[in-house]
Amino acid sequence: MAALPDRCEVVVIGGGVIGCSVAYHLADAGITDVVLLERKELTSGTTWHAAGLVGQLRTSINMTQLARYTSELYRGLEAETGQATGYRQCGSISIAGTAERLEELKRSASMAKVFGLEVNVLTVPEIAERYPLIQTDDLHGGIHIPSDGYANAVDITQALAKGARSRGARIFTDTRVDAILQQGGKATGVRTSAGDIQARYVVICGGMWSRDLAASVGVTLPLHACEHYYVLFESVAGLHPDLPVLRDYDACTYYKYDAGKLLVGAFEPSARPWGMEGISEDFCFDEIAGDFEHFEPVLHDAMKRLPALEQAGIQKFFCGPESFTPDVRYHLGAAPELGNCFVAAGLNSIGLQSAGGVGKVTAQWIRNGHPPVDLWEVDVRRNMPFQRNRHYLQERVSESLGLLYATHYPFKQYETGRGVRKSPFHDRLVKAGACHGEAYGWERPNWYAPVGVDPVYQYSYGRQNWFEYSAAEHRAARAGVVLFDQSSFAKFRLEGRDAARVLNRVCANNIDVKTGRVVYTQWLNDRGGIEADLTVTRLAEDAFLIVSAAETEVRDFHWLKSHIPGDAHCVLTNVTSGMAVISLMGPHARNLLQSLTPDDLSHSGFPFASSREIELGLGYVRASRITFVGELGWELYIPTEFAQDIYDRIILAGQEHGLVHAGYHALNSLRMEKAYRHWSHDVTDEDTPLEAGLEFVVKFDKPGGFIGREALLEQQERGVSRQLLQFLLKDPEPLIYHNEPIWRDGELVGHITSGAYGHTLGGSVGLGYVETEAGTPGEALLAGHYEIEVACERFAATASLRPLYDPENSRIRS
């Protein structure tokens, strides 16, 4: 073996399919000075026992695109490298044992049309014809993807490794990484069992070992191993190699032809975490004992679905570890805690079918300094620091594994790892009937049950049990006054003599305003894409309060911190936990709040977008006249220790004003009617303010400019080729959520980015980008006949560039 170099451009830690794909794609992207280090042998951790499925249809558009690229890569890998891959394009069938599952599959089939993936909806007789071994009496239908297949995970990894080597990458096995080296807040290399290597970038692809390695340098990478089972059957009557991969989601099982045998694997609802006491240093191509009794119910259902298994022999009962994450989405990208440290880990047992896409975008991210597409749903910056807690992970991943095959109902809530973060009002809201959902560790009231009704979800793709209760909350916000608990907002303070200069460079809007003003703004990247969507309040000449969404707390803090010059005199502090937030919204909000404070809340005395401290209860709170629901209202920022007393006083006074508690489902339906954008759905780092209809908050002429200004000016000059529109379905029955295709005059032109039912407008409302020729005037864009496709059926829709609810903003300025 060649000697270990003392330096390189990129060190990749881990020789599984993910690490080898990253090395392959780095070298393919022109970064050939790559060193991959594997503690034992390539594939010896978990890759070697992968079942080998290569599926493409995931639960979102971008993730499906990455999986689709993976499939395309594998088709040509053997010809490119001369290394056998075992790849076979046999297609796949997913069957539905319930009407709800068929609804999910049909919605996925509709989504696939957005990017041209062929997905065919099958009737029950068609399923029986394509897969005659199974009994179909209880089925409702299914889908068929002709381009799916399977491969040998070990062979694929070896092919990627061979391709990486041929491009100049160097691979070293039996080389353990003992530490990641760092200096000045950046990774600088690794310490190995064979010596140190200095490197410009370090990429953690260590599978189930990644959490502890990342934690050693302060990086949050939450994942934990679980037992994963499959059985190999021999002598299965009627088995032949042309059978498609079969997924029976409702029975938690999948079936794959495997060299004359049938592999039956499972993602059971309640999994068994593994490795709680650590993983043996000698672990290499190891199996784990497993528990046949745990797997037996799944096996019983499999035999009912495929009766020939009852007469077949079990050649192999297998159990091996796989890494799972708290939200069943993998971890990818630049670690916010340590510069030049990247991660690609936590693949939730879909490593083989994701590896190509993961490797490609990681390489592009490192080469270009930014992700090539919107990758927020797998971005490592979504993780909260508490999530690397071992006890939390062991509890949550017992549920995570089963969620791969569970029905992905809208608003589905996690049942494990709950109660981590609570607002000061939590117990009081429970008494008020709150049904709390979990978001980024926070317990947040999603809806309120009336007296005598249990605040528990009953899931479906139609109108769920809370639909009318949330509708009442929605209507109360439009006609009276409601209270939202928005304590989960991310809240930062930037203070110092250079704070205004630094922040004004990051913000597209002008935040150098008078003290007591609230500014709605975006943070842009150099390409004009929207990195954050938030408000900035000027507290003093040298102090600002930045308020963003709970989900982007880590990301937004990191973005701003990384754009503070080293010589700037200002300090950024996360004060999220220090302030609770009560939002009072609705036409009666002023009357209620005025009854509790001597401060002048009139429109002239307290204009829209103003913020100041007011007397309330026995203390002071910061009141900001701002809204995310399109009504008159205030957000009250309350020091945590004062929060409960002030809440109690608001509730008492609210009895005379018809105060209603409202949850996040109502908040969402209200903002959808007003066409307020939501970051990560309607605006992302791929979308510009010009495309998103937010040019009105971009100040091109402010002193000093802003990040992304030049890119926006160029786009403004040539005209946008896509625009965000608001849609209202004319039929009041269908429900839209996201990813539904948008048709104009029979042509596919885009997809819905977010949707909800508009109880005031009387139908489902959605936002979505529509492709158009650059410079097309708005009138022409709206002239066509629009339809939204829901579960393979098209529904006529009204399109608008302006909010369909209160387009003149008269209600928020009343």
Side-chain angles (χ1 to χ4, degrees):
M1 181 184 293
L4 197 69
D6 59 4
R7 65 182 59 251
C8 65
E9 182 74 1
V10 184
V11 164
V12 178
I13 304 171
V17 69
I18 299 299
C20 289
S21 179
V22 170
Y24 172 93
H25 285 91
L26 281 167
D28 192 55
I31 305 175
T32 57
D33 189 12
V34 175
V35 170
L36 183 147
L37 304 173
E38 163 55 44
R39 56 183 289 277
K40 295 293 186 180
E41 297 295 326
L42 297 185
T43 77
S44 63
T46 61
T47 296
W48 72 274
H49 61 71
L53 307 187
V54 182
Q56 299 164 84
L57 190 60
R58 311 239 60 83
T59 56
S60 73
I61 287 173
N62 278 355
M63 293 304 100
T64 301
Q65 288 175 320
L66 294 191
R68 188 180 186 188
Y69 166 77
T70 299
S71 180
E72 293 168 353
L73 172 70
Y74 292 171
R75 284 177 209 153
L77 199 56
E78 184 169 336
E80 176 200 330
T81 64
Q83 166 71 47
T85 61
Y87 181 77
R88 185 180 182 89
Q89 186 177 311
C90 60
S92 73
I93 293 175
S94 298
I95 57 178
T98 67
E100 289 287 309
R101 178 69 73 178
L102 184 59
E103 171 88 359
E104 178 183 8
L105 294 177
K106 289 168 68 176
R107 284 177 176 264
S108 296
S110 288
M111 179 189 72
K113 295 176 184 177
V114 174
F115 42 86
L117 176 64
E118 183 182 353
V119 179
N120 305 306
V121 178
L122 301 180
T123 63
V124 174
E126 288 172 331
I127 294 171
E129 181 182 355
R130 291 176 183 270
Y131 209 113
L133 273 66
I134 65 171
Q135 73 83 18
T136 59
D137 294 347
D138 59 337
L139 296 184
H140 291 251
I143 59 173
H144 173 238
I145 305 176
S147 55
D148 277 355
Y150 59 82
N152 183 297
V154 172
D155 290 343
I156 287 285
T157 305
Q158 294 292 350
L160 289 167
K162 187 174 182 179
R165 288 191 186 100
S166 71
R167 290 165 169 81
R170 289 168 286 180
I171 296 176
F172 296 86
T173 56
D174 295 310
T175 307
R176 185 185 66 252
V177 172
D178 294 323
I180 295 174
L181 306 177
Q182 55 181 313
Q183 185 176 358
K186 294 182 178 181
T188 58
V190 295
R191 176 156 294 147
T192 81
S193 54
D196 291 358
I197 304 177
Q198 300 298 313
R200 185 177 178 187
Y201 299 103
V202 173
V203 189
I204 302 174
C205 305
M208 58 187 175
W209 289 272
S210 297
R211 178 217 166 271
D212 290 346
L213 181 60
S216 70
V217 287
V219 171
T220 299
L221 189 53
L223 54 83
H224 198 288
C226 283
E227 296 178 355
H228 181 49
Y229 294 85
Y230 60 73
V231 172
L232 273 174
F233 284 89
E234 57 185 357
S235 304
V236 179
L239 184 67
H240 60 85
D242 293 330
L243 280 175
V245 170
L246 179 71
R247 294 180 178 89
D248 185 356
Y249 292 113
D250 296 300
C252 312
T253 50
Y254 59 87
Y255 305 77
K256 186 202 82 166
Y257 177 87
D258 193 294
K261 304 171 186 63
L262 185 68
L263 184 150
V264 181
F267 293 101
E268 66 276 18
S270 182
R272 291 161 55 98
W274 179 82
M276 285 77 76
E277 305 305 321
I279 304 170
S280 168
E281 183 62 34
D282 298 327
F283 192 96
C284 180
F285 296 111
D286 285 9
E287 299 181 31
I288 55 181
D291 182 346
F292 190 80
E293 289 187 6
H294 175 78
F295 188 73
E296 195 170 15
V298 173
L299 198 57
H300 177 73
D301 288 343
M303 290 178 174
K304 288 172 59 180
R305 176 65 62 205
L306 208 158
L309 295 182
E310 294 181 2
Q311 306 302 320
I314 295 180
Q315 186 201 55
K316 176 76 173 177
F317 170 69
F318 178 85
C319 180
E322 292 278 1
S323 296
F324 287 84
T325 67
D327 57 6
V328 211
R329 305 199 303 258
Y330 48 80
H331 299 313
L332 193 62
E337 303 92 342
L338 185 64
N340 294 354
C341 179
F342 284 75
V343 301
L347 271 293
N348 301 287
S349 201
I350 57 169
L352 182 67
Q353 56 194 299
S354 305
V358 168
K360 181 179 181 179
V361 297
T362 301
Q364 291 174 331
W365 199 332
I366 291 172
R367 183 190 63 190
N368 301 331
H370 59 80
V373 294
D374 170 33
L375 294 170
W376 172 241
E377 65 184 288
V378 293
D379 194 318
V380 69
R381 290 173 292 176
R382 77 188 185 276
N383 296 312
M384 299 295 161
F386 81 87
Q387 290 183 299
R388 69 174 186 242
N389 176 280
R390 289 179 175 87
H391 182 74
Y392 165 81
L393 285 171
Q394 290 163 19
E395 186 174 325
R396 173 56 67 84
V397 297
S398 67
E399 180 182 11
S400 296
L401 181 146
L403 292 177
L404 276 176
Y405 274 21
T407 304
H408 297 92
Y409 287 116
F411 316 109
K412 182 76 166 65
Q413 299 299 317
Y414 294 104
E415 298 177 1
T416 56
R418 294 293 298 265
V420 180
R421 306 170 84 184
K422 299 178 181 178
S423 83
F425 318 120
H426 179 266
D427 292 346
R428 286 162 166 78
L429 300 181
V430 169
K431 291 180 181 179
C435 180
H436 282 89
E438 186 266 346
Y440 329 107
W442 286 98
E443 293 293 318
R444 306 200 304 187
N446 282 343
W447 56 279
Y448 289 82
V451 176
V453 175
D454 290 335
V456 177
Y457 278 94
Q458 296 173 15
Y459 297 112
S460 76
Y461 274 95
R463 286 158 171 74
Q464 297 185 9
N465 61 313
W466 49 266
F467 184 86
E468 290 301 334
Y469 307 139
S470 185
E473 298 166 19
H474 178 114
R475 296 185 184 106
R478 296 283 186 239
V481 57
V482 299
L483 179 151
F484 294 103
D485 173 16
Q486 294 181 319
S487 301
S488 61
F489 278 179
K491 301 171 281 283
F492 317 135
R493 285 178 68 109
L494 185 68
E495 303 174 78
R497 65 168 178 259
D498 293 330
R501 175 177 61 83
V502 169
L503 198 51
N504 220 21
R505 176 65 184 165
V506 174
C507 295
N509 206 341
N510 184 16
I511 58 85
D512 193 5
V513 294
K514 293 181 180 179
T515 298
R517 296 297 295 170
V518 182
V519 179
Y520 171 52
T521 187
Q522 286 76 44
W523 295 348
L524 310 182
N525 53 45
D526 290 331
R527 305 167 310 281
I530 299 172
E531 293 285 346
D533 183 77
L534 40 75
T535 62
V536 175
T537 302
R538 189 160 204 167
L539 306 177
E541 189 68 20
D542 61 351
F544 295 85
L545 175 67
I546 298 131
V547 179
S548 186
E551 71 174 305
T552 54
E553 179 181 340
V554 171
R555 177 195 175 101
D556 293 346
F557 189 86
H558 173 255
W559 181 265
L560 182 54
K561 185 178 180 180
S562 65
H563 285 86
I564 299 175
D567 60 351
H569 190 280
C570 57
V571 176
L572 179 64
T573 308
N574 188 336
V575 296
T576 299
S577 298
M579 287 185 287
V581 181
I582 288 176
S583 177
L584 294 175
M585 294 288 151
H588 297 169
R590 177 180 287 118
N591 295 338
L592 169 56
L593 194 55
Q594 190 68 80
S595 73
L596 290 162
T597 179
D599 292 80
D600 181 8
L601 301 183
S602 66
H603 182 62
S604 59
F606 206 133
F608 180 72
S610 296
S611 178
R612 66 169 180 263
E613 287 193 338
I614 64 172
E615 288 186 45
L616 196 60
L618 302 179
Y620 288 85
V621 306
R622 172 160 295 280
S624 296
R625 189 177 165 193
I626 198 75
T627 181
F628 196 53
V629 302
E631 300 293 341
L632 170 70
W634 281 262
E635 292 172 359
L636 306 178
Y637 293 82
I638 312 166
T640 304
E641 67 270 28
F642 292 93
Q644 292 183 350
D645 176 68
I646 288 174
Y647 168 88
D648 292 342
R649 291 172 185 271
I650 290 173
I651 295 302
L652 183 61
Q655 294 176 8
E656 296 183 11
H657 298 272
L659 178 65
V660 171
H661 284 86
Y664 274 80
H665 292 333
L667 185 74
N668 190 45
S669 62
L670 290 160
R671 73 98 183 170
M672 285 301 309
E673 289 189 329
K674 199 69 176 74
Y676 286 147
R677 282 65 166 153
H678 179 253
W679 195 89
S680 81
H681 286 101
D682 312 310
V683 289
T684 72
D685 58 4
E686 287 189 278
D687 311 310
T688 73
L690 307 187
E691 296 166 339
L694 295 172
E695 187 174 358
F696 69 98
V697 289
V698 176
K699 298 299 183 284
F700 286 102
D701 57 351
K702 69 173 179 174
F706 56 89
I707 299 169
R709 177 178 181 272
E710 290 70 25
L712 289 191
L713 287 173
E714 290 179 11
Q715 187 179 55
Q716 193 177 56
E717 177 73 19
R718 66 177 182 268
V720 297
S721 57
R722 57 198 292 269
Q723 286 187 260
L724 189 69
L725 301 182
Q726 185 183 29
F727 298 92
L728 173 64
L729 296 195
K730 296 180 179 180
D731 186 332
E733 290 305 310
L735 299 180
I736 61 177
Y737 301 108
H738 58 84
N739 292 336
E740 293 86 356
I742 301 170
W743 299 83
R744 182 181 62 218
D745 298 331
E747 180 183 355
L748 185 62
V749 293
H751 68 275
I752 294 295
T753 53
S754 63
Y757 198 85
H759 300 286
T760 311
L761 296 176
S764 283
V765 183
L767 293 172
Y769 289 92
V770 169
E771 303 293 333
T772 183
E773 292 185 12
T776 300
E779 299 79 12
L781 189 62
L782 300 177
H785 172 63
Y786 281 96
E787 296 173 300
I788 309 299
E789 182 175 328
V790 181
C792 300
E793 184 177 356
R794 299 185 199 177
F795 297 90
T798 299
S800 178
L801 281 164
R802 305 180 71 203
L804 291 168
Y805 179 79
D806 188 26
E808 303 298 332
N809 292 328
S810 60
R811 296 179 69 86
I812 67 176
R813 300 181 185 277
S814 60

